[in-house]
Short mmCIF file of all heavy atoms in Angstrom, two decimals:
data_model
loop_
_atom_site.label_atom_id
_atom_site.label_comp_id
_atom_site.label_asym_id
_atom_site.label_seq_id
_atom_site.Cartn_x
_atom_site.Cartn_y
_atom_site.Cartn_z
N GLN A 42 0.85 -1.23 0.07
CA GLN A 42 -0.01 -0.06 0.07
C GLN A 42 0.82 1.28 0.02
O GLN A 42 0.52 2.28 -0.74
CB GLN A 42 -0.91 -0.03 1.13
CG GLN A 42 -1.77 1.19 1.44
CD GLN A 42 -2.78 1.41 0.27
OE1 GLN A 42 -2.72 2.44 -0.44
NE2 GLN A 42 -3.64 0.45 0.02
N TYR A 43 1.91 1.31 0.73
CA TYR A 43 2.72 2.50 0.92
C TYR A 43 4.03 2.43 0.12
O TYR A 43 4.97 3.18 0.22
CB TYR A 43 3.11 2.60 2.40
CG TYR A 43 1.95 2.72 3.24
CD1 TYR A 43 1.79 1.78 4.31
CD2 TYR A 43 0.98 3.68 3.16
CE1 TYR A 43 0.63 1.69 5.11
CE2 TYR A 43 -0.22 3.69 4.00
CZ TYR A 43 -0.39 2.67 4.96
OH TYR A 43 -1.45 2.76 5.79
N SER A 44 4.09 1.54 -0.95
CA SER A 44 5.32 1.41 -1.75
C SER A 44 4.99 1.90 -3.24
O SER A 44 3.80 2.07 -3.54
CB SER A 44 5.74 -0.06 -1.80
OG SER A 44 4.83 -0.84 -2.57
N GLU A 45 6.00 2.00 -3.94
CA GLU A 45 5.86 2.36 -5.35
C GLU A 45 5.28 1.25 -6.23
O GLU A 45 4.88 1.54 -7.35
CB GLU A 45 7.28 2.86 -5.98
CG GLU A 45 7.83 4.08 -5.25
CD GLU A 45 9.16 4.39 -5.89
OE1 GLU A 45 9.64 3.68 -6.72
OE2 GLU A 45 9.68 5.41 -5.44
N ASP A 46 5.32 0.02 -5.67
CA ASP A 46 4.74 -1.08 -6.43
C ASP A 46 3.20 -1.12 -6.43
O ASP A 46 2.56 -1.89 -7.21
CB ASP A 46 5.20 -2.40 -5.84
CG ASP A 46 6.82 -2.54 -5.94
OD1 ASP A 46 7.29 -2.02 -6.90
OD2 ASP A 46 7.42 -3.28 -5.14
N MET A 47 2.62 -0.36 -5.71
CA MET A 47 1.15 -0.17 -5.63
C MET A 47 0.57 0.14 -7.02
O MET A 47 0.96 1.18 -7.57
CB MET A 47 0.58 0.75 -4.59
CG MET A 47 -0.91 0.72 -4.35
SD MET A 47 -1.41 -0.80 -3.59
CE MET A 47 -3.22 -0.65 -3.81
N SER A 48 -0.26 -0.75 -7.45
CA SER A 48 -0.82 -0.54 -8.90
C SER A 48 -1.77 0.63 -8.87
O SER A 48 -2.52 0.94 -7.94
CB SER A 48 -1.56 -1.78 -9.28
OG SER A 48 -2.20 -1.55 -10.50
N LYS A 49 -1.71 1.40 -10.00
CA LYS A 49 -2.66 2.59 -10.14
C LYS A 49 -3.93 2.20 -10.94
O LYS A 49 -4.68 2.95 -11.31
CB LYS A 49 -1.91 3.70 -10.91
CG LYS A 49 -0.62 4.12 -10.25
CD LYS A 49 -0.91 4.64 -8.89
CE LYS A 49 0.54 5.10 -8.20
NZ LYS A 49 0.28 5.43 -6.77
N ASP A 50 -4.18 0.84 -11.17
CA ASP A 50 -5.25 0.35 -11.90
C ASP A 50 -6.56 0.72 -11.24
O ASP A 50 -6.65 0.49 -9.97
CB ASP A 50 -5.07 -1.18 -12.03
CG ASP A 50 -6.24 -1.82 -12.83
OD1 ASP A 50 -7.17 -1.08 -13.28
OD2 ASP A 50 -6.00 -2.98 -13.24
N PRO A 51 -7.43 1.48 -11.86
CA PRO A 51 -8.65 1.79 -11.31
C PRO A 51 -9.53 0.62 -10.72
O PRO A 51 -10.31 0.83 -9.84
CB PRO A 51 -9.55 2.51 -12.45
CG PRO A 51 -8.36 2.84 -13.45
CD PRO A 51 -7.28 1.86 -13.22
N ARG A 52 -9.30 -0.54 -11.25
CA ARG A 52 -9.94 -1.75 -10.74
C ARG A 52 -9.71 -1.98 -9.22
O ARG A 52 -10.60 -2.50 -8.54
CB ARG A 52 -9.65 -2.96 -11.53
CG ARG A 52 -10.27 -4.27 -11.18
CD ARG A 52 -9.85 -5.40 -12.01
NE ARG A 52 -10.23 -6.70 -11.31
CZ ARG A 52 -11.49 -7.15 -11.36
NH1 ARG A 52 -12.44 -6.59 -11.79
NH2 ARG A 52 -11.72 -8.38 -10.68
N ILE A 53 -8.49 -1.66 -8.75
CA ILE A 53 -8.15 -1.86 -7.49
C ILE A 53 -9.07 -1.07 -6.52
O ILE A 53 -9.70 -1.66 -5.72
CB ILE A 53 -6.65 -1.52 -7.17
CG1 ILE A 53 -5.69 -2.17 -8.16
CG2 ILE A 53 -6.33 -1.81 -5.69
CD1 ILE A 53 -5.66 -3.72 -8.01
N HIS A 54 -9.21 0.14 -6.80
CA HIS A 54 -10.06 1.02 -5.96
C HIS A 54 -11.57 0.65 -6.09
O HIS A 54 -12.26 0.67 -5.13
CB HIS A 54 -9.91 2.47 -6.47
CG HIS A 54 -10.77 3.47 -5.65
ND1 HIS A 54 -10.34 3.86 -4.34
CD2 HIS A 54 -11.89 4.20 -5.96
CE1 HIS A 54 -11.27 4.70 -3.92
NE2 HIS A 54 -12.21 4.97 -4.82
N SER A 55 -11.98 0.20 -7.28
CA SER A 55 -13.26 -0.26 -7.54
C SER A 55 -13.68 -1.46 -6.70
O SER A 55 -14.73 -1.60 -6.12
CB SER A 55 -13.50 -0.54 -8.94
OG SER A 55 -14.87 -0.93 -9.24
N CYS A 56 -12.74 -2.43 -6.66
CA CYS A 56 -12.92 -3.66 -5.87
C CYS A 56 -13.09 -3.34 -4.35
O CYS A 56 -13.89 -3.98 -3.65
CB CYS A 56 -11.80 -4.60 -6.12
SG CYS A 56 -11.88 -5.44 -7.67
N VAL A 57 -12.24 -2.43 -3.81
CA VAL A 57 -12.35 -2.03 -2.47
C VAL A 57 -13.74 -1.48 -2.14
O VAL A 57 -14.37 -1.82 -1.08
CB VAL A 57 -11.22 -1.00 -2.07
CG1 VAL A 57 -11.31 -0.60 -0.65
CG2 VAL A 57 -9.81 -1.65 -2.32
N LEU A 58 -14.28 -0.64 -3.05
CA LEU A 58 -15.56 -0.07 -2.90
C LEU A 58 -16.63 -1.10 -2.97
O LEU A 58 -17.63 -1.07 -2.19
CB LEU A 58 -15.74 1.07 -3.81
CG LEU A 58 -14.88 2.29 -3.71
CD1 LEU A 58 -15.28 3.30 -4.79
CD2 LEU A 58 -14.99 2.94 -2.26
N ASP A 59 -16.43 -2.06 -3.84
CA ASP A 59 -17.43 -3.23 -4.01
C ASP A 59 -17.55 -3.99 -2.74
O ASP A 59 -18.79 -4.30 -2.28
CB ASP A 59 -16.98 -4.15 -5.11
CG ASP A 59 -17.15 -3.58 -6.52
OD1 ASP A 59 -17.86 -2.57 -6.67
OD2 ASP A 59 -16.55 -4.11 -7.50
N ILE A 60 -16.44 -4.24 -2.11
CA ILE A 60 -16.52 -5.03 -0.84
C ILE A 60 -17.04 -4.15 0.29
O ILE A 60 -17.92 -4.77 1.16
CB ILE A 60 -15.13 -5.50 -0.46
CG1 ILE A 60 -14.67 -6.61 -1.47
CG2 ILE A 60 -15.08 -6.03 0.99
CD1 ILE A 60 -13.30 -7.22 -1.24
N ILE A 61 -16.83 -2.91 0.41
CA ILE A 61 -17.42 -2.07 1.48
C ILE A 61 -18.97 -2.00 1.22
O ILE A 61 -19.68 -2.18 2.26
CB ILE A 61 -16.78 -0.68 1.34
CG1 ILE A 61 -15.31 -0.68 1.80
CG2 ILE A 61 -17.65 0.31 2.20
CD1 ILE A 61 -14.54 0.68 1.70
N GLU A 62 -19.39 -1.88 -0.05
CA GLU A 62 -20.81 -1.86 -0.25
C GLU A 62 -21.42 -3.21 -0.01
O GLU A 62 -22.51 -3.20 0.60
CB GLU A 62 -21.08 -1.54 -1.71
CG GLU A 62 -20.83 -0.01 -2.12
CD GLU A 62 -21.11 0.22 -3.51
OE1 GLU A 62 -21.20 -0.74 -4.37
OE2 GLU A 62 -21.16 1.44 -3.98
N ASN A 63 -20.64 -4.32 -0.25
CA ASN A 63 -21.23 -5.56 0.07
C ASN A 63 -21.37 -5.90 1.55
O ASN A 63 -22.40 -6.37 2.05
CB ASN A 63 -20.36 -6.70 -0.55
CG ASN A 63 -20.84 -8.06 -0.30
OD1 ASN A 63 -22.05 -8.36 -0.59
ND2 ASN A 63 -20.00 -8.97 0.07
N VAL A 64 -20.43 -5.35 2.24
CA VAL A 64 -20.40 -5.54 3.74
C VAL A 64 -21.41 -4.62 4.41
O VAL A 64 -22.23 -5.07 5.30
CB VAL A 64 -18.99 -5.34 4.30
CG1 VAL A 64 -19.11 -5.39 5.93
CG2 VAL A 64 -18.07 -6.37 3.71
N ALA A 65 -21.33 -3.31 4.14
CA ALA A 65 -22.14 -2.36 4.75
C ALA A 65 -23.57 -2.46 4.35
O ALA A 65 -24.53 -1.96 5.10
CB ALA A 65 -21.61 -1.03 4.56
N GLY A 66 -23.91 -2.87 3.05
CA GLY A 66 -25.24 -2.85 2.60
C GLY A 66 -25.81 -1.38 2.46
O GLY A 66 -25.10 -0.50 2.04
N TYR A 67 -26.97 -1.25 2.95
CA TYR A 67 -27.61 0.09 2.93
C TYR A 67 -27.50 0.91 4.31
O TYR A 67 -28.13 1.94 4.45
CB TYR A 67 -29.13 -0.05 2.67
CG TYR A 67 -29.44 -0.64 1.29
CD1 TYR A 67 -29.80 -2.03 1.03
CD2 TYR A 67 -29.23 0.12 0.11
CE1 TYR A 67 -30.08 -2.51 -0.15
CE2 TYR A 67 -29.50 -0.37 -1.13
CZ TYR A 67 -29.84 -1.70 -1.28
OH TYR A 67 -30.08 -2.26 -2.48
N ASN A 68 -26.55 0.35 5.13
CA ASN A 68 -26.35 0.96 6.38
C ASN A 68 -25.38 2.23 6.19
O ASN A 68 -24.23 2.05 6.08
CB ASN A 68 -25.66 -0.09 7.37
CG ASN A 68 -25.63 0.57 8.78
OD1 ASN A 68 -25.51 1.79 9.01
ND2 ASN A 68 -25.78 -0.32 9.75
N GLN A 69 -25.95 3.33 6.16
CA GLN A 69 -25.19 4.52 5.81
C GLN A 69 -24.16 4.80 6.89
O GLN A 69 -23.09 5.20 6.62
CB GLN A 69 -26.09 5.76 5.67
CG GLN A 69 -25.40 7.03 5.20
CD GLN A 69 -24.80 6.83 3.80
OE1 GLN A 69 -25.42 6.38 2.99
NE2 GLN A 69 -23.41 7.28 3.70
N THR A 70 -24.41 4.59 8.18
CA THR A 70 -23.56 4.85 9.34
C THR A 70 -22.30 3.89 9.08
O THR A 70 -21.15 4.29 9.34
CB THR A 70 -24.15 4.55 10.61
OG1 THR A 70 -25.37 5.35 10.75
CG2 THR A 70 -23.26 4.86 11.73
N LEU A 71 -22.61 2.62 8.84
CA LEU A 71 -21.51 1.63 8.63
C LEU A 71 -20.64 2.00 7.40
O LEU A 71 -19.44 1.88 7.38
CB LEU A 71 -22.00 0.31 8.52
CG LEU A 71 -21.12 -0.92 8.66
CD1 LEU A 71 -20.32 -0.79 9.97
CD2 LEU A 71 -21.83 -2.22 8.52
N GLN A 72 -21.37 2.40 6.31
CA GLN A 72 -20.52 2.87 5.06
C GLN A 72 -19.58 4.04 5.41
O GLN A 72 -18.44 4.01 5.10
CB GLN A 72 -21.53 3.29 3.97
CG GLN A 72 -22.25 2.27 3.31
CD GLN A 72 -23.18 2.72 2.21
OE1 GLN A 72 -23.06 4.00 1.88
NE2 GLN A 72 -23.93 1.90 1.66
N ASP A 73 -20.12 5.00 6.32
CA ASP A 73 -19.25 6.17 6.59
C ASP A 73 -18.05 5.72 7.49
O ASP A 73 -16.96 6.16 7.32
CB ASP A 73 -20.10 7.14 7.42
CG ASP A 73 -21.15 7.82 6.51
OD1 ASP A 73 -21.05 7.66 5.32
OD2 ASP A 73 -22.13 8.42 7.12
N LYS A 74 -18.21 4.73 8.36
CA LYS A 74 -17.26 4.24 9.19
C LYS A 74 -16.13 3.54 8.35
O LYS A 74 -14.90 3.71 8.56
CB LYS A 74 -17.76 3.34 10.29
CG LYS A 74 -18.53 3.97 11.42
CD LYS A 74 -18.91 2.96 12.42
CE LYS A 74 -19.68 3.73 13.62
NZ LYS A 74 -20.20 2.64 14.59
#
């Protein structure tokens, strides 16, 4: 994460958001956390 080897591929960021949405569902408070 903190190295130069971290890929700039937009898919990486998109996957992180996918998992957050999957876990938090429609719980806005949990999404914010």
Side-chain angles (χ1 to χ4, degrees):
Q42 177 64 238
Y43 306 117
S44 72
E45 294 179 357
D46 294 334
M47 186 67 191
S48 173
K49 305 302 181 185
D50 187 348
R52 176 178 167 79
I53 306 296
H54 183 71
S55 179
C56 283
V57 175
L58 295 180
D59 286 344
I60 289 179
I61 290 176
E62 287 179 346
N63 182 49
V64 173
Y67 296 103
N68 188 330
Q69 186 62 47
T70 302
L71 194 54
Q72 285 184 6
D73 293 343
K74 288 182 179 180

